[in-house]
Amino acid sequence: MSLIQWIHFPPLGDERGSLVALEAEITFPFDIKRVYYIFDTKSGVVRGLHAHKDLSQVMVCLKGSCRVMLDNGLLKEQVVLDSPNKGLLIDSMMWREMHDFSEDCVLLVLANEHYDESDYIRDYNDFLKQVHS
Ligand code: T46
C-alpha cells in the first residue's frame, strides 16, 4: 500500500484561467478547521520533522515546488508537490519532512483540527516507539 494519497481537485477554470474550490466533504475529505501557509522558506531548510497523534492534513503547493517525505515507521516514500490542482493527504501517525523548497514555493495546508502542540511527536525515536507499541 502506498503512503501517497493524492486528492485531485475538480478544475473549474475556463478561457480566463484556472480556479479550484475546496468544499468540506464535497471536494475535500474532512471539515476544515485550520488553514495555514508556508512561504519564503530559505534555501536548504528542512521543515516538518514530526508526526501528529491525531490530525489529518492536506498539503497543496500553490506555487513553486517542494519534496515531501512520508514515513509510517515501516515504509518511507517521497513525492514532489508542484501543482495547485491536487493535494497530498497526510493522516495521523505519519512522520513528514519537507525538503527542497523552491524560492517561490507557497505551500497551503488545510487541517481538520485547531493547532495543538501536544499533538506533535517531534522525536523520531518516540514516533517509532509509538508506532510499534
Ligand atoms: C505540519 C507541517 C506540514 C502555530 O502557532 N499554529 C499553527 O497552526 C502552526 C502550523 C504552527 N504554529 C507555530 C508553531 C511553531 O512555533 O508556528 C511555528 C512553526 O511551526 P512548525 O515548526 O511546526 O512548522 P513546520 O513547517 O515544521 O510544520 C508545519 C506544521 O506545524 C505541521 O503540523 O504537518 O507544517
Side-chain angles (χ1 to χ4, degrees):
M1 191 203 87
S2 174
L3 307 183
I4 308 302
Q5 302 182 72
W6 289 117
I7 300 171
H8 293 271
F9 306 132
L12 301 174
D14 53 30
E15 65 287 348
R16 296 169 297 170
S18 302
L19 192 155
V20 166
L22 306 180
E23 290 193 74
E25 293 174 11
I26 301 175
T27 53
F28 211 73
F30 51 71
D31 270 332
I32 298 158
K33 284 204 185 156
R34 180 167 52 110
V35 174
Y36 59 94
Y37 41 94
I38 294 168
F39 59 102
D40 278 352
T41 303
K42 306 300 172 230
S43 170
V45 163
V46 179
R47 303 198 66 124
L49 295 161
H50 61 259
H52 283 280
K53 295 175 200 162
D54 189 15
L55 183 72
S56 294
Q57 300 194 104
V58 171
M59 281 185 190
V60 186
C61 189
L62 296 182
K63 195 167 166 58
S65 63
C66 68
R67 176 169 59 87
V68 177
M69 196 282 289
L70 298 181
D71 174 354
N72 68 356
L74 296 169
L75 293 173
K76 291 182 192 197
E77 277 190 70
Q78 48 185 336
V79 73
V80 172
L81 265 59
D82 60 1
S83 165
N85 297 319
K86 60 184 183 178
L88 179 67
L89 174 63
I90 307 180
D91 282 322
S92 307
M93 296 307 287
M94 187 76 74
W95 189 263
R96 81 282 320 266
E97 298 179 9
M98 294 99 84
H99 299 255
D100 299 344
F101 285 85
S102 65
E103 212 179 297
D104 59 347
C105 182
V106 180
L107 188 62
L108 177 74
V109 186
L110 305 107
N112 72 339
E113 289 298 344
H114 295 292
Y115 176 71
D116 175 8
E117 183 58 38
S118 71
D119 187 64
Y120 285 70
I121 307 170
R122 292 193 183 270
D123 180 277
Y124 187 66
N125 288 326
D126 283 352
F127 166 70
L128 289 180
K129 269 187 217 151
Q130 293 192 38
V131 163
H132 296 295
S133 65

